[in-house]
Amino acid sequence: MQARGLRSAIAVAAVAVMAAGAAGCAASDREEGGEGTASGGTFVFAGAGDPKNFDPIFNDDGESFRPVRQMFETLVTHKPGTADVVGGLAESWEHDAAGKVWTFKLRKDVKFHDGTPFNAAAVCYNFDRWYNMKGAAAQSQMLYYQDVFGGFATNEAESAGKSIYEKCEAKDDGTAVVSLNVYKGAFPGAFALTSLSIASPEALKKYDADKVTQSGDSFEYSAFANTNPVGTGPFTFGGWDKAKNEITLNRYADYWGDKAKVDKVIIKVIKDETTRKQELRAGTVQGIDFPAPADRKALETEGFQVLNRPAFNILYLGINQKNNPKLADLRVRQAIAYALNREQLVQTKAPGGSSVASQFMPDTVLGYAPDAQKYEFNPEKAKQLLKDAGAEGLTLNFYYPPDVSRPYMPNPQEIFTVLANDLQGVGIKVNGVPRPWNGGFKDDVQQFGKHDLHILGWTGDYNDPGNFVGTFFGRAKAEFGDEKLTDMFAAITAADATVDEAGKKAAWEQVNRDIASKWLPAIPIWHAPPAIVVTKDVKGLVASPLTAEEFNTVTVSAS
Amino acid sequence: MLRVIVRRLLQLVVTLIALTALIFIWLRNLPGGPVDALLGERATPERRELLTKALGYDQPILVQYGKFMQRMLTGDFGNSIRTGDSVVEVLGRSFPATVELALAAMIIAVGLGIPLGYLAARHRGRTLDNLTVGGTLLGISIPIFFLGYLLKDVFTQNIHWFPPSGRISTGLDNTNVTGFFVLDGLLTREFDASADALWHLILPAVTLATIPLAVIVRITRASVLDVLNEDFIRTAEAKGLRHQTVRGRHVLRNALLPVVTTIGLQTGALLAGAVLTEKVYNWGGLGTLITDSITGSRDYPVLQALILVAALVFIVVNLLVDLSYAVIDPRVRVR
């Protein structure tokens, strides 16, 4: 019996039960009548977790961003399939010589989903809203805002710094001028952050968007964030049925750009990876994210499209110089680098299309230095360096999180095993310390620096060297025990503050060269392209290196 | 009887208060926590400080516990750290899903278990008995998550009889009245939705029912065999009572007492089984919620409420089992 037949049999049984006595006593919410419009179909994508809410500014994770990106847009965005910055809601932009005043020329005839116009006043309303946000609960949820702008008009945390945001002026409907008090290399890339999407001021006011209240030891978000998000994107919010784990987005007929080709997008939250694959195979979802490297080949063989995103991430071996004094010696860190057979690791354990990393950012980011020192696998040289440093018979505690899979680190246990073998090959004794990701690993490594070695990584948020190198090594961190590397912090700060493009490129290239040869606070391992998988009847999906796919280009043909 | 109920209710209150303290302190002493879970790789000292302060984790644990108890006594369990939804709302949404699944599993387990156990006992040593005993051994031995994935693989990937996961088909426009999808479809006359929900329910319910079914069969069989050897059965048969009367009125009724105890215990155990079954089938009930809250965002408010609800259900079910003895066995009432 096929599914349809079985289902019919169940339907008959259900009706029989009904006829036997369960009288209809509740009203159906279904709309009567036909659809009325030509159908572009529905694209069902399996999400791996619940979104937090739909207010862009209070979100910072991929599962929340996936629906948010379909509904909201930013001033600048990325060329599809690349990390190159192009116009978004702003057609063009420029900054003054000091890089502090940014003038955006906005698109005309753009309307928010609630029918209100998008204009410079709306842009400034959003910037002012972020800057003036009050309350520890709200501020604590604005991670990307803090990343980019620093503090707020009134800081709730004593350690938060002064904001670099000064003001936003609407010169006219089509011109917004954002003034900062300091140049920051993150711009214009950071204006493309999904968190900094422009929302409808009317909706923000109407649904009390700034109201984030603390309830016990958790937060309660506004009606805007939960049920009434209003942006300018190609899809409008259709609802989040939490009993069914489904988020529905409807095609926005008045969208200014390429209108969505499907009528509806449903993001079905399926937290178990095996189940996501089974749903894909059953045809009940048409797309899944981040397949395990071992599954990619099988999925391709079965006829699914496995779309590799250009790698925009880094996996590194971190070295903590604090606990074991030998690790403060550059020669020992170089010996570790020479001991690792990264080429073989990439071939055996990395997802297809991965490459050995020689720097802490992909080569598509400005400031990549092709001539930076590389550490080819050379165990003899590693042994010699250890001998020169008097570090023979070194014993190191190697922390890794066996229970997690990240886009840059799909199989931590296997990566650890291979790296530990390589290190043991040059006489370094390794004590493996497996710690749960959220049950000790991040605390022990990032906060307390209990380790000697660890594996961790990062996926870029926007195309800027500061978002990679600056994030890791811009200041002293317990993760690296590197407070003595003050030259490194100063060089990164200077590179980040360089305004002219050529100077900025040269400064970052030098930083990358020096990190590889002079400082070596960690060892870059690989860049791994995370994949997104869709069924063969899905066309038009462009894989994004920033995992920021837009679904308006997607079509689903009837199979 | 009233004294028994009052005493059990008082025990319930004391147990729950002790549990709240245990859960509260234990959760907060685990390594990691919501701050780490929420910040991920992007944790900086400033962000940690702000979030710790915003969540109130910078206060002494006894102060935190005092505030928690104060709120809880007014029915405020707080909000989910992850989504900000009220915990009561989150539980209200997940509870019907688990109850629907557990109820279906129990219907299968009891509906098949008692007759099978009885028949096996009546045909002791014969093929039916051997098959039943062998089958129950397999049912008890097989890990639930393995069985779940096995059934899914066979019935959703190889022969496409059932859907791989979820409670209802994606995009189906069903009206939610009680949260019990099968029932809602009947109440609103959306029969396709009811059938669809039933279609989704079958595999998870069978998976979850396996262990209680095996246990109920074995207990019923053993209990019926015991009763069949009792003197009063021989006496009843010697007095010329019809077989049907002896079996129905004397054998089954007397054999049911340990079976009912088992059913009560198994109902509590179903919650544990539901955790695995719901994970395998992406069911979206309390089981899914508990694993997400522990492994995902370390959602303290949801976890605290969940453990309390699980304890409450277990205690109430066992109270009901105790009370049911009085119905089944008149001697209990006399005592």
Side-chain angles (χ1 to χ4, degrees), chain A residues 283-304:
Chain A
T284 41
V285 304
Q286 280 107 41
I288 61 169
D289 221 341
F290 306 128
D295 291 329
R296 289 190 188 190
K297 195 79 186 164
L299 288 166
E300 273 176 341
T301 309
E302 290 171 51
F304 296 107

Side-chain angles (χ1 to χ4, degrees), chain A residues 7-226:
Chain A
R7 220 167 149 185
S8 304
I10 293 169
V12 170
V15 172
V17 171
M18 168 67 197
C25 54
S28 168
D29 286 343
R30 280 179 177 169
E31 287 177 18
E32 298 299 325
E35 295 279 310
T37 54
S39 172
T42 300
F43 177 51
V44 184
F45 191 87
D50 292 325
K52 192 161 79 174
N53 59 62
F54 304 106
D55 188 338
I57 198 64
F58 295 131
N59 281 294
D60 47 70
D61 67 285
E63 295 305 330
S64 302
F65 281 156
R66 186 177 289 119
V68 164
R69 275 194 191 104
Q70 318 305 325
M71 296 185 281
F72 290 90
E73 293 175 298
T74 44
L75 288 177
V76 302
T77 185
H78 299 104
K79 188 177 163 188
T82 75
D84 301 341
V85 175
V86 294
L89 286 172
E91 283 179 319
S92 63
W93 62 93
E94 59 183 16
H95 61 75
D96 66 349
K100 293 182 185 174
V101 180
W102 291 76
T103 303
F104 294 95
K105 291 288 179 192
L106 307 178
R107 286 187 192 282
K108 295 184 177 68
D109 302 325
V110 177
K111 278 188 177 171
F112 290 105
H113 302 154
D114 58 3
T116 56
F118 164 78
N119 52 29
V123 171
C124 288
Y125 184 90
N126 278 269
F127 273 85
D128 288 338
R129 173 191 177 222
W130 305 330
Y131 174 63
N132 291 303
M133 194 68 76
K134 289 186 173 68
Q139 288 187 9
S140 71
Q141 298 304 296
M142 294 169 65
L143 297 193
Y144 278 114
Y145 169 86
Q146 290 174 71
D147 230 7
V148 175
F149 294 105
F152 298 84
T154 309
N155 285 331
E156 297 286 348
E158 287 167 15
S159 56
K162 184 174 183 287
S163 176
I164 67 163
Y165 175 80
E166 249 179 17
K167 62 180 177 181
C168 178
E169 291 171 285
K171 290 281 182 203
D172 55 57
D173 265 5
T175 312
V177 181
V178 176
S179 299
L180 312 172
N181 52 41
V182 66
Y183 170 75
K184 189 164 178 170
F187 298 117
F191 289 124
L193 281 169
T194 306
S195 288
L196 303 184
S197 296
I198 306 299
S200 158
E202 288 307 311
L204 288 169
K205 283 182 253 181
K206 185 176 173 186
Y207 298 108
D208 219 0
D210 295 357
K211 195 179 169 197
V212 181
T213 47
Q214 190 193 350
S215 170
D217 49 8
S218 51
F219 308 126
E220 196 173 344
Y221 299 96
S222 70
F224 178 88
N226 287 317

